Amino acid sequence: MSTNRSIHLIGNAHLDPVWLWQWQEGYAEIKATFRSALDRLREFPDFVFTRSCAAYYAWVEENAPDMFEEIQLRVAEGRWIIVGGWWIQPDCNLPSGESFARHGLYGQRYFQEKFGVMAKVGYNVDSFGHNAMLPQILKKSGMDYYVFMRPEKHEKELDRNLFWWESEDGSRVLTFRLSDSYSTSWGKPFEQKVQKHEEMADANGHSHMTFYGVGNHGGGPTIGNLEAIKGLQEKLGKERIVISSPNRYFAEIEAVQPELPVLKDELQMHAVGCYSTHSESKENNRRAEHRLLNAEKFASAANVLLGHKYPGEQLKLAWENVLFNQFHDIMGGCSIREAFQDARESYGEALHIAAKALNSATQRISWSIDTMKPEIRSLSKDKNWLSWEQGDCGTPFVVFNPLSWEVDVPVHANRKMTAVSDEQGNPVAMQAVRASRTNGQDNWDTLFMARVPAMGYRVYWCYLTKEQETQSVESPVSAEGNVLENAFLRVEFAANSGAIKSLLDKRTNTEVFNGPGAAPLVIDEHHSDTWGHGLHSYRELIGCFTDAEVKVLERGPLRGIIRVTSRYNGSVLRQDFTLLHNAAELQVKVQLDWREKHKMLKLSFPVLVEQPESVSEIPYGYLHREPNGNEMPGQQWFDVFGKSRETGDVRGLAILNNGKYAYDVLGSEARMTVVRSPIFADHYGERDDQVEFMEQGIQEFGYALKPHQGFWHQSDIVRKAYEFNVPPIGVWETYHEGSLPQRMEGLRISAQQVVATVFKQAEDGDGWILRCYETSGAAAESDIEVPMLYRSWRTVFGKCEIKSFFIPADASLPVQEVNLIEYR
């Protein structure tokens, strides 16, 4: 029988480290499964075992070192095959692009260090869908092949289970979809499974993979499994029934080179409820991702500028916590309640490590800034302490910007001030705002506008008593009754419902909505389990929040805030709508007290356009999707755009968020999913009075509305979404001499559509890594400069291309492009 029509039997053990059990039980089961696999390797000379997930190996190395050494020998022998070069099998929709890069960075480097090999095959057999940028991420992480199972045939029809999968930048990986489970029932059903795969192999003209072994809670191939395979080989021949691995299978396919279809699309849809289940973990994930990146950037700057120790090992530990919690049954929100208590602790450790590293770096930098203004030097030199105490020389407040472009943003400082100026003495616009404290009469803080260089800092001088000129605001915000207005937008709220009655874009004098905007809709989901199995959408409207109270919270030249509080049954939704004087975005801070069960809350945004289209951010990219009402995964933003009814011009609305990952668009109506409340880990089991429902109680998050003219990529949406998620960092300082100036720019990128996400110490410790990506889908030439390293270079980005640059510490060596695992 021709070997290009073989059935490759893949011995594996699907191991969920967390699901219907906690990680401690998963830890034990991983050791037991690895021991079982090693025993089978000893007993059956032809047996080959396939295993992914660097985190599992790290546990075994830590707790069973003798067994770990045995695994190393089997890997060297070629019978224990390492696949899936990531830290864990993550959810493949919700982590950020950089999280996927870190899965490869830490996973592949671990395998290389401990076993002398790296995975060639990406491997996510149980994840609930796969984003469309994965081919590029896989290729740049050293993997040319991919294996998955979901979506299955009934969820997404494919021309063939073996195909080339291509991302927007043109990267391709050879991809195989399991035609049925990664586990196997034995006896007659197994023979039927093999027979079915034989028929598929003959029909397609190439070999097929068949997975076997006990799975989910581990176990792996059994003695009975391997005896049954021996019988099949005796019956059909060893050339037809091959004990194999994904590596061997793909090598054979590459050698045969069959004609295969090319798919340029995401791989969806499975378990659509998992995009929104368990808000706390999802919001912690977003917060931890950004905080770690911020900590790396300024820890790098502090090291370069001042020799401050870079906390690489601590940050790596924090990243490993985040990556572990991206396991699909944690990130997807479908585990037991106790598992999320563990996730909360793990995220807490990661967030605290990042907070300490960020604080240490920013304070090391701020402490080294020369804040001795001439008048301070004079008082210090004359030791005229009485004049110093009686005067107000100003207090330095250092504002750090982690983003790769200059920002013009409001900064909240926790003092009531009479004036603020920049480092050159120019007055800055400011406004008194309510403090979070209630301490006697001192209940006020200060909001001021700061223009801060890219990935840099700037000192602002804050005066507590000195009367000084304040920069006037040309077009102050108005907040009166139920109307917010600035030079760009006018927002009117309906008195009873609290929804946006009118959102007027004053730049074009056009309405953004054709119905109530930000309307809170309650959706029935009694028919849904925790995962949302078998569903495509959530649109069964059963009610809405009403009985609204509309109240002006804040009015001033820089900012106006109107609070809208509405109710549904025992639930309360509080939305603080904020308009800045210089912004064409409406920002919203939300507090939700949710008391509903088997219900979902969505916010509706009916956009006034014709021929609507929808696009969303995905990890390190974007994707256009049909506006068909299906529940979809998104990242920091999604957008609805189309043609104006009056003029035919293109315009639209971007909806930004700081921790929500699900939305739908039907026609021109966009709905952001806020919360859903199924039972913990419920797959239509026994629903009695003892079950516990998710999402009960108070949660807080934010979103923003950005109307725009022209197409989405012409409207600075990507940058605005980052600004919404990554606010500036402020540090109070005192008077001291220092080696650093009062203003520093850390990065310059000439191309508007190129965003830098990473500036970190290289894993090899001999330089720095700068990672950037093209955001708009158009090739771009760009000059890049890192002033603190005295480095500059010119490069070309392809559409949606991710580029990582290694900047050697030795300035005589050139900047080099490297892959995501930092290999050159």
Side-chain angles (χ1 to χ4, degrees), residues 238-256:
K238 287 190 175 182
E239 289 186 354
R240 182 68 160 175
I241 306 297
V242 182
I243 296 177
S244 187
S245 69
N247 290 16
R248 180 176 173 181
Y249 172 77
F250 283 116
E252 179 184 302
I253 294 297
E254 290 271 36
V256 175

Side-chain angles (χ1 to χ4, degrees), residues 43-77:
E43 296 160 354
F44 294 85
D46 293 336
F47 174 53
V48 177
F49 184 64
T50 294
R51 179 66 261 161
S52 65
C53 301
Y56 300 172
Y57 293 85
W59 280 353
V60 173
E61 181 186 19
E62 169 189 73
N63 203 253
D66 293 344
M67 185 163 65
F68 188 78
E69 291 179 5
E70 193 175 347
I71 294 170
Q72 287 176 313
L73 292 173
R74 292 302 189 184
V75 171
E77 183 186 11

Side-chain angles (χ1 to χ4, degrees), residues 259-521:
E259 186 174 340
L260 298 172
V262 177
L263 178 71
K264 191 174 181 180
D265 193 9
E266 61 183 340
L267 295 169
Q268 311 290 8
M269 300 166 61
H270 178 85
V272 298
C274 289
Y275 310 150
S276 53
T277 306
H278 206 266
S279 298
E280 178 192 336
S281 293
K282 291 174 169 59
E283 290 159 12
N284 279 338
N285 177 76
R286 178 78 63 81
R287 185 160 53 247
E289 288 174 331
H290 281 304
R291 189 177 295 175
L292 281 166
L293 292 173
N294 294 347
E296 288 175 345
K297 290 170 185 174
F298 288 113
S300 299
N303 181 274
V304 170
L305 296 169
L306 303 162
H308 189 62
K309 183 179 179 181
Y310 186 85
E313 288 302 314
Q314 298 97 309
L315 292 171
K316 182 173 180 286
L317 171 62
W319 269 112
E320 288 172 0
N321 283 10
V322 173
L323 301 180
F324 183 84
N325 284 332
Q326 290 171 349
F327 179 71
H328 50 268
D329 287 322
I330 303 174
M331 189 87 217
C334 51
S335 294
I336 57 174
R337 180 176 179 271
E338 296 86 344
F340 295 111
Q341 294 172 334
D342 294 335
R344 180 182 301 122
E345 294 174 359
S346 181
Y347 275 123
E349 182 181 41
L351 286 161
H352 189 55
I353 288 171
K356 289 195 297 183
L358 181 59
N359 178 69
S360 180
T362 53
Q363 292 220 29
R364 181 70 178 89
I365 293 170
S366 68
W367 188 251
S368 301
I369 297 172
D370 187 348
T371 56
M372 298 292 284
K373 296 195 297 184
E375 59 266 38
I376 298 171
R377 291 183 189 277
S378 175
L379 290 170
S380 176
K381 181 178 179 180
D382 296 340
K383 295 188 170 18
N384 192 347
W385 306 115
L386 180 63
S387 298
W388 199 335
E389 291 173 359
Q390 291 177 342
D392 183 359
C393 296
T395 302
F397 187 72
V398 188
V399 183
F400 292 85
N401 168 27
L403 298 171
S404 62
W405 57 92
E406 182 181 72
V407 295
D408 187 9
V409 292
V411 174
H412 188 124
N414 62 329
R415 302 282 193 280
K416 185 179 180 181
M417 294 176 270
T418 57
V420 180
S421 66
D422 64 20
E423 81 285 3
Q424 296 179 338
N426 300 309
V428 172
M430 53 171 276
Q431 175 180 326
V433 296
R434 177 70 181 267
S436 59
R437 63 190 176 277
T438 54
N439 184 14
Q441 300 300 311
D442 185 22
N443 298 336
W444 294 92
D445 288 343
T446 302
L447 189 78
F448 67 90
M449 297 303 298
R451 185 181 292 274
V452 191
M455 213 178 291
Y457 65 80
R458 191 174 188 182
V459 175
Y460 285 86
W461 290 86
C462 302
Y463 300 92
L464 304 180
T465 59
K466 181 180 179 180
E467 294 297 332
Q468 183 170 308
E469 179 187 359
T470 298
Q471 183 185 35
S472 62
V473 176
E474 184 175 338
S475 300
V477 179
S478 169
E480 299 293 339
N482 62 342
V483 175
L484 273 174
E485 188 170 3
N486 68 5
F488 309 99
L489 302 176
R490 182 183 185 277
V491 191
E492 181 179 355
F493 300 92
N496 296 322
S497 70
I500 297 175
K501 180 179 179 181
S502 168
L503 176 55
L504 181 70
D505 189 337
K506 296 169 67 174
R507 295 167 297 180
T508 57
N509 196 34
T510 55
E511 284 287 346
V512 175
F513 296 134
N514 64 355
L521 308 180

Side-chain angles (χ1 to χ4, degrees), residues 59-134:
W59 280 353
V60 173
E61 181 186 19
E62 169 189 73
N63 203 253
D66 293 344
M67 185 163 65
F68 188 78
E69 291 179 5
E70 193 175 347
I71 294 170
Q72 287 176 313
L73 292 173
R74 292 302 189 184
V75 171
E77 183 186 11
R79 295 179 60 208
W80 184 299
I81 308 301
I82 289 174
V83 294
W86 288 352
W87 196 245
I88 207 81
Q89 287 191 42
D91 179 280
C92 288
N93 285 310
L94 309 185
S96 69
E98 186 54 30
S99 282
F100 285 106
R102 298 308 170 99
H103 275 286
L105 177 69
Y106 300 132
Q108 291 283 49
R109 280 182 166 261
Y110 180 86
F111 289 138
Q112 182 65 45
E113 176 188 349
K114 303 300 180 179
F115 301 101
V117 300
M118 290 193 299
K120 300 176 182 177
V121 178
Y123 184 97
N124 276 290
V125 297
D126 199 33
S127 299
F128 305 152
H130 310 262
N131 75 78
M133 284 299 291
L134 281 184

